Amino acid sequence: MSKLYKVAIIGFGNVGQGFTKILANKYELLNERFGVDIRIVAVCDLYKGSIADPDGLDPTMLISSIELDGDLKNMDAKYTGWTAKETIANSGANILIELAYTDLKTGEPALSHVKQALNNGMHVSMTNKGPVALAFPELRDIASKNNVQIGIEGTVMSGTPSLHLGNEMLLAAGIIQIQGILNGTTNYILGEMEAGLDYQVALIQAQALGYAEADPTGDVDGHDAAAKTVILANLFMDLELTLADIDCTGISQITSEDIAKASAQNKHWKLIGTVAKTKTGFIATVKPEMVNKDHPLASISGATNAITYSTELLGDITLIGPGAGRIETGYAVIEDILTIHKNS
Ligand code: HSE
């Protein structure tokens, strides 16, 4: 007998659509192999429309509607026009999938959505870095008081299971340092500059390929990687950092001459996020580094991400995989739901 999970999606951009596509294709597998019956009971998007049906909305129809009309306004549904707040309160969902716009300064509006859902006794899955980087300890407390779970796999390396690996497998091995290429846009730009492209042209390409955030400043200034570094530090190193604790430098000052200098020395520029405990405290940085070709992160190219966990018992473990993308990040939500199911 499968367990029914009614999900409400707030924000129906790339990730929401990726998740819905996966559900359209993998519903049977998830049901039969994992015992989870996932039904989308509401979708709420500021621009594409807001629809709800407690019996479930057909994932295939949701995708067709977006492909045909660019929105959900022509789709038949029992309820329409709910705000995010009304969706969380009235949809009858037991999981909120929070995918609204990431604001790294306030975490809003996602932070309020997540608090409302947790206080309503709903589990939450989010790929939104803002609330996690800014308020995770508080959210974890609210979740625990309400006996519900928060899934955040998609906040770091999209569906590549970096957080599950750290949390479930490596924490007991003693994580002493984490280093990663945590932003695909900047890694792509640095690679293209190595191949001879101008910085601005490479940035425009990264935007066209959908790697960059809506406002790419967060990518190139290193703030996206810094938010991910905060998440890793707080989850795995018993720290309580905020973005202000990260010594952060982006890639916008890297010139073609810098790139040529590295190539002449057989080295690569990489934007690396590092967090490590020291005798006196901690180091937490995001900065461009010129790495030797034999560095574990030197060969990571394009928009691919990678993370190296340095542990007491196993030494270094490096995980390489996608860090962005519609399906790739949508899959992180599936991982969160499977984890919520396993731990329920
Ligand atoms: N803009 C981000 C990146 C997307 O380039 O990695 C995933 O957080």
Side-chain angles (χ1 to χ4, degrees):
M1 184 62 180
S2 282
K3 186 157 176 196
L4 178 63
Y5 290 96
K6 293 187 169 193
V7 305
I9 302 174
I10 306 286
F12 206 56
N14 283 334
V15 182
Q17 291 168 37
F19 165 76
T20 304
K21 242 183 203 164
I22 297 172
L23 202 55
N25 295 324
K26 302 274 184 196
Y27 175 82
E28 297 298 335
L29 172 91
L30 291 166
N31 207 330
E32 284 159 21
R33 173 73 179 78
F34 298 96
V36 292
D37 177 357
I38 305 171
R39 307 253 179 98
I40 299 172
V41 293
V43 178
C44 172
D45 187 285
L46 214 50
Y47 305 104
K48 298 185 184 79
S50 184
I51 57 176
D53 187 332
D55 296 326
L57 298 158
D58 182 352
T60 308
M61 302 267 286
L62 285 165
I63 295 301
S64 315
S65 178
I66 290 290
E67 283 171 359
L68 282 173
D69 304 329
D71 59 40
L72 303 170
K73 291 173 188 158
N74 289 325
M75 202 170 141
D76 273 341
K78 263 193 191 133
Y79 304 101
T80 58
W82 283 348
T83 60
K85 218 173 162 184
E86 288 166 340
T87 301
I88 297 164
N90 303 334
S91 62
N94 50 4
I95 303 184
L96 172 72
I97 302 180
E98 162 50 51
L99 309 172
Y101 168 75
T102 290
D103 179 338
L104 289 177
K105 291 205 173 75
T106 64
E108 295 295 356
L111 190 53
S112 298
H113 300 162
V114 171
K115 285 184 185 171
Q116 186 193 346
L118 296 173
N119 281 318
N120 264 15
M122 295 161 78
H123 303 291
V124 172
S125 165
M126 62 182 143
T127 63
N128 201 317
K129 289 167 284 262
V132 188
L134 297 170
F136 195 57
E138 184 193 355
L139 295 177
R140 220 168 14 193
D141 282 351
I142 303 175
S144 134
K145 275 190 199 113
N146 289 283
N147 205 17
V148 288
Q149 301 172 57
I150 312 179
I152 57 167
E153 184 58 70
T155 58
V156 178
M157 286 180 77
S158 69
T160 307
S162 57
L163 302 186
H164 278 103
L165 178 69
N167 226 358
E168 286 166 29
M169 302 296 161
L170 298 182
L171 212 50
I175 298 173
I176 46 182
Q177 178 180 282
I178 304 171
Q179 277 209 306
I181 292 177
L182 303 170
N183 180 270
T185 301
T186 44
N187 202 50
Y188 175 84
I189 293 174
L190 292 171
E192 290 300 301
M193 284 176 77
E194 237 173 58
L197 223 62
D198 172 67
Y199 171 85
Q200 281 302 337
V201 179
L203 172 57
I204 289 165
Q205 280 189 7
Q207 286 177 290
L209 288 163
Y211 305 142
E213 299 293 314
D215 173 3
T217 319
D219 293 298
V220 295
D221 285 355
H223 294 132
D224 175 75
K228 292 164 181 168
T229 305
V230 166
I231 293 170
L232 292 164
N234 293 352
L235 279 184
F236 302 136
M237 307 203 80
D238 271 337
L239 294 168
E240 291 205 359
L241 306 190
T242 66
L243 274 176
D245 295 310
I246 308 287
D247 181 2
C248 179
T249 310
I251 64 158
S252 49
Q253 302 304 318
I254 302 276
T255 61
S256 307
E257 289 73 46
D258 294 325
I259 299 277
K261 203 166 99 189
S263 297
Q265 295 175 39
N266 219 13
K267 292 180 177 178
H268 297 288
W269 280 103
K270 296 285 168 198
L271 184 71
I272 295 184
T274 301
V275 56
K277 281 206 168 165
T278 63
K279 282 198 185 106
T280 49
F282 63 89
I283 299 169
T285 59
V286 169
K287 56 178 196 249
E289 295 185 30
M290 223 165 59
V291 296
N292 279 320
K293 290 222 153 122
D294 58 0
H295 188 284
L297 301 176
S299 63
I300 309 304
S301 63
T304 302
N305 283 192
I307 191 164
T308 301
Y309 290 106
S310 300
T311 68
E312 283 164 5
L313 302 186
L314 301 172
D316 288 356
I317 311 260
T318 299
L319 178 70
I320 301 169
R326 183 177 283 209
I327 291 292
E328 294 84 344
T329 315
Y331 185 70
V333 176
I334 301 280
E335 292 173 65
D336 283 345
I337 296 175
L338 291 176
T339 305
I340 287 169
H341 178 61
K342 200 171 81 180
N343 296 336
S344 287

